[in-house]
Amino acid sequence: METIFNDTYFMKKALLEAETAFNKGEIPVGAVIVTDNKIIARGHNLTELLNDVTAHAEMQAITAAANFLGGKYLHNCTLYVTLEPCQMCGGALYWSQISNIVYGAKDAARGCLHLQTKLHPKTKVKGGVLEAESAALLKRFFIEKRNLN
């Protein structure tokens, strides 16, 4: 029996990365980059662990995908990320010329699409895939963080 890969399948993989971030005390955002129905890169937030404001899930995944492909452009690749990318990540995605971005929860305060950050003209964007699950994990993280302080 052939496995059917779709946006939900890959977003679940990104959610597993977000759970890894959660378990490390990081804001739970996870990402995977896919080409030809194969995950070539994974990432989750590491800003606290690395003490680096640029260590977002998307940035980790972009770097890993570029290394895997042996080049800086992510043509024919899709980024699955649990939260709408921020402006910084949107800029990096622009320069990578990634073909597709699929995200889970919206980020009305800092999201690159809400702030009208320009993406590459050929990049297609789809939002709301497993949005409730992505948002619930973020909400749980911040509730627990507030209760610890």
Side-chain angles (χ1 to χ4, degrees):
M1 184 170 135
E2 184 177 319
T3 303
I4 297 174
F5 298 109
N6 58 27
D7 290 342
T8 301
Y9 173 85
F10 290 117
M11 189 60 76
K12 285 180 181 179
K13 299 299 184 185
L15 272 166
L16 289 174
E17 289 295 318
E19 287 279 350
T20 299
F22 182 97
N23 293 332
K24 292 179 178 179
E26 299 277 356
I27 294 174
V29 177
V32 297
I33 295 181
V34 175
T35 189
D36 295 325
N37 280 325
K38 179 182 176 188
I39 296 173
I40 61 167
R42 299 172 188 273
H44 54 270
N45 275 358
L46 291 171
T47 58
E48 299 299 324
L49 182 69
L50 298 178
N51 198 28
D52 178 357
V53 297
T54 69
H56 289 194
E58 300 93 327
M59 302 297 272
Q60 303 299 314
I62 290 167
T63 299
N67 287 335
F68 178 87
L69 295 171
K72 62 185 177 181
Y73 297 119
L74 303 181
H75 300 146
N76 302 312
C77 292
T78 300
L79 167 73
Y80 291 88
V81 61
T82 58
L83 181 66
E84 177 186 347
C86 71
Q87 284 188 297
M88 175 186 68
C89 294
L93 290 162
Y94 173 93
W95 291 111
S96 78
Q97 298 182 17
I98 196 157
S99 298
N100 302 287
I101 300 169
V102 179
Y103 69 89
K106 294 175 185 156
D107 186 347
R110 291 175 207 83
C112 69
L113 301 171
H114 285 83
L115 297 173
Q116 299 179 341
T117 301
K118 187 175 179 177
L119 296 172
H120 193 273
K122 293 183 180 178
T123 300
K124 295 177 185 149
V125 179
K126 179 179 179 180
V129 176
L130 297 183
E131 181 175 9
E133 294 88 335
S134 298
L137 183 59
L138 285 160
K139 184 176 181 179
R140 189 173 106 214
F141 175 81
F142 287 110
I143 287 171
E144 288 184 18
K145 189 146 186 84
R146 281 186 210 109
N147 289 337
L148 291 176
N149 294 329

